[in-house]
Amino acid sequence: MTLVIAGERSGVGKTTVTLTLLASLRRRDRLVQSFKVGPDYIDPMFHQHVTGRACRNLDPVLTSEAYVQQCFARHSQLSEYALVEGVMGLFDGIGHGQEKQKSPDFASTAHIARLLNLPVVLVIDCSRLSGSVAAIAHGYQSFDPRLKIAGVVLNRVGSDRHLSLLKDSLEALQLPILGVLRRQDNITIPDRHLGLVPTAELPQLNALIDRLADLGDTCFDWQRLLPLLKSELLPYSPTLREAKATSLSSSSPVRIAIARDRAFNFYYQDNLDLLQQLGAELVFWSPLEDADIPKDVQGMYFGGGFPEVFAQQLAENTSVRDAVKTAILQGMPTVAECGGLMYLCEQIIDFEGKSWSMAGVLPTSAVMGGRLTLGYRRAVALQDNLLVKANTTVYGHEFHRSQLTLTPTQPLFETSRYDCEENMECEGWGLPANVHASYMHLHWGESGEIPQQFLKECRTYA
């Protein structure tokens, strides 16, 4: 069992429904493992805040179908209940184009549900419909006979009369109504230019979660839901890659400084786990608050995040900016993704046009703008670099509203869109050679050689 929470389209309230379920389960002291379909970082932060367990991303583009199955089997068996939050609309995936794709809805919520053989709960936004709800539900129920729609959750229901009309319309389908959420004016998760505001920036988050738990206690049909959410012991055995990682972990330990604060917090938990499995000691620190980089580290990892929101505070912490630049120029291996790349630039120019000095390792500036760069990328390495060898193909994801004033003279990758042959650009900074700075977010789960190569360089540096 275990349920997939899907939407009939984006914006119908999947995340609210998911968090409401998780909050109510945790209030009942149930051990819950959550998963998120796709490359998103922020929704998993909310999951983890509620459950106390790291949410796992299920993304066959960034990894593989086999990895998705292994990841789900491994982590779901460690908890009493499990829940998967979908992405976009149920059938919204990646179309045909590249060699990894198998179907028009590849990487969609429906694809993951089929891959894991899980039933789906469909969330429907009822705010602007009544009788038409049956046509929507019937369409999703019959579109792909390989899927099992376990029931629906009716969201944004306006009144008892409204609910009565919805129930009457759905009755002929014999499709269980597993939850009813009324319009909620006091439950709002703020958002901004890249989606929801991360958990670390929401001081009233616990109060919000309590309100969601209150809602969850009364709005769901728990008698039907609990058996569906029950996590079963799935067949799982460590992969050859995991066995190899375990054998390599006996090598000399290496300390890696992981930048993690309000400005930098986009990390796939699997990436951090792989580093630890390979023998790394992760040292978390804050470029916002700390006066220096951690002592006795042999490498640095700057994830994505919102450095543009905290650009002034980052700029004012001159001692850390100088320490980062000095360490890199002295040869310390450093990985910087998206927001991390921006921090290594000379400046960040924010939405208001104000310039803020950054670490100054890369001879370019990051300028915030209205244009959103978004999508999966197929990238071929143009040269040997800190993480991969020349001609290696990797799959990544971009999601940012900044552009660089200068492009690298010796880029790391030639990139193309994942869903077609359209070339994008040459991208990524590898000078100095101990730096890997790119707008692409990489999930290392299917490419264990990446963290191995990174730690190898860190040990050489040490």
Side-chain angles (χ1 to χ4, degrees):
M1 284 301 179
T2 297
L3 286 175
V4 177
I5 304 299
E8 25 100 4
R9 52 193 157 89
S10 293
V12 300
K14 288 189 307 295
T15 300
T16 299
V17 170
T18 300
L19 293 178
T20 302
L21 283 165
L22 294 176
S24 195
L25 285 168
R26 286 299 297 139
R27 175 175 282 181
R28 298 160 184 244
D29 292 325
R30 307 300 176 114
L31 189 62
V32 191
Q33 176 63 57
S34 70
F35 300 86
K36 171 65 181 178
V37 178
D40 183 54
Y41 290 101
I42 299 179
D43 286 354
M45 293 181 196
F46 283 87
H47 290 206
Q48 181 170 349
H49 185 88
V50 175
T51 66
R53 301 173 66 87
C55 175
R56 304 289 168 164
N57 290 77
L58 304 176
D59 192 318
V61 176
L62 298 183
T63 58
S64 69
E65 292 178 313
Y67 185 86
V68 167
Q69 292 171 321
Q70 293 159 6
C71 178
F72 179 77
R74 177 181 184 180
H75 295 288
S76 62
Q77 68 180 350
L78 302 176
S79 61
E80 186 180 4
Y81 295 93
L83 190 64
V84 180
E85 180 184 351
V87 61
M88 301 174 65
L90 176 57
F91 298 103
D92 295 330
I94 306 297
H96 292 288
Q98 295 290 353
E99 69 275 6
K100 285 183 74 173
Q101 295 167 329
K102 309 292 192 304
S103 63
D105 65 352
F106 189 85
S108 68
T109 304
H111 178 204
I112 299 302
R114 294 194 304 265
L115 198 60
L116 302 178
N117 192 28
L118 300 179
V120 172
V121 171
L122 185 68
V123 180
I124 302 177
D125 180 358
C126 302
S127 59
R128 292 178 177 84
L129 56 85
S130 56
S132 299
V133 69
I136 294 172
H138 176 68
Y140 280 85
Q141 187 180 30
S142 60
F143 184 77
D144 185 346
R146 296 171 295 177
L147 286 181
K148 174 177 173 51
I149 305 295
V152 296
V153 169
L154 307 180
N155 193 24
R156 299 169 186 150
V157 176
S159 65
D160 290 344
R161 173 60 177 161
H162 187 198
L163 178 58
S164 178
L165 292 172
L166 296 168
K167 286 183 174 179
D168 289 346
S169 178
L170 288 167
E171 186 175 3
L173 298 181
Q174 296 184 326
L175 191 61
I177 298 174
L178 299 176
V180 176
L181 280 70
R182 304 295 180 115
R183 292 175 185 166
Q184 303 291 327
D185 296 327
N186 65 335
I187 299 179
T188 303
I189 304 175
D191 58 7
R192 59 175 175 231
H193 56 280
L194 290 182
L196 297 179
V197 175
T199 55
E201 298 180 51
L202 299 176
Q204 305 301 319
L205 181 57
N206 287 334
L208 172 64
I209 298 303
D210 284 340
R211 291 197 295 273
L212 288 173
D214 291 340
L215 176 64
D217 289 345
T218 59
C219 73
F220 294 120
D221 185 343
W222 286 105
Q223 199 167 11
R224 283 176 165 172
L225 274 173
L226 279 178
L228 294 174
L229 290 164
K230 191 75 175 177
S231 181
E232 296 183 0
L233 191 63
L234 298 173
Y236 172 75
S237 58
T239 62
L240 290 175
R241 181 178 291 110
E242 289 171 327
K244 184 178 180 181
T246 301
S247 66
L248 289 172
S249 66
S250 59
S251 304
S252 57
V254 56
R255 284 165 54 87
I256 306 296
I258 310 289
R260 188 164 71 178
D261 55 21
R262 290 170 296 154
F264 306 100
N265 45 38
F266 289 5
Y267 296 96
Y268 294 124
Q269 184 63 40
D270 289 14
N271 287 10
L272 302 180
D273 289 351
L274 274 169
L275 289 173
Q276 290 180 307
Q277 290 166 14
L278 290 165
E281 177 186 351
L282 307 186
V283 184
F284 296 100
W285 70 291
S286 171
L288 284 172
E289 306 289 348
D290 293 338
D292 200 352
I293 62 175
K295 302 298 183 185
D296 302 320
V297 294
Q298 291 84 49
M300 294 188 291
Y301 184 5
F302 293 89
F306 291 98
E308 66 273 19
V309 175
F310 303 96
Q312 180 175 353
Q313 189 175 346
L314 289 169
E316 290 172 349
N317 196 346
T318 56
S319 62
V320 159
R321 290 196 289 110
D322 292 342
V324 167
K325 183 174 184 178
T326 298
I328 290 175
L329 294 182
Q330 289 177 349
M332 184 178 291
T334 301
V335 175
E337 291 183 340
C338 200
L341 159 71
M342 295 166 64
Y343 182 63
L344 297 190
C345 291
E346 292 178 341
Q347 295 177 318
I348 288 178
I349 301 172
D350 64 21
F351 286 109
E352 298 177 353
K354 297 179 181 178
S355 299
W356 306 100
S357 295
M358 294 292 119
V361 175
L362 308 178
T364 186
S365 295
V367 183
M368 302 306 301
R371 175 190 168 196
L372 175 62
T373 301
L374 167 68
Y376 289 109
R377 302 288 181 260
R378 178 179 182 270
V380 179
L382 296 173
Q383 56 180 297
D384 290 351
N385 60 67
L386 180 65
L387 298 185
V388 296
K389 299 297 184 183
N391 299 316
T392 300
T393 298
V394 296
Y395 296 88
H397 187 265
E398 284 191 71
F399 191 39
H400 56 91
R401 290 192 185 274
S402 68
Q403 303 294 325
L404 301 182
T405 55
L406 293 175
T407 55
T409 55
Q410 294 180 281
L412 297 180
F413 298 108
E414 181 179 37
T415 66
S416 61
R417 283 181 51 177
Y418 177 77
D419 55 345
C420 69
E421 300 293 343
E422 176 188 342
N423 287 332
M424 298 293 293
E425 59 184 356
C426 292
E427 190 269 348
W429 294 75
L431 289 175
N434 54 297
V435 169
H436 184 283
S438 169
Y439 268 123
M440 282 197 306
H441 296 284
L442 300 178
H443 191 298
W444 301 342
E446 190 65 16
S447 306
E449 297 78 10
I450 290 178
Q452 289 175 27
Q453 177 64 23
F454 178 42
L455 293 184
K456 176 184 175 183
E457 294 297 330
C458 292
R459 290 189 173 98
T460 300
Y461 170 76

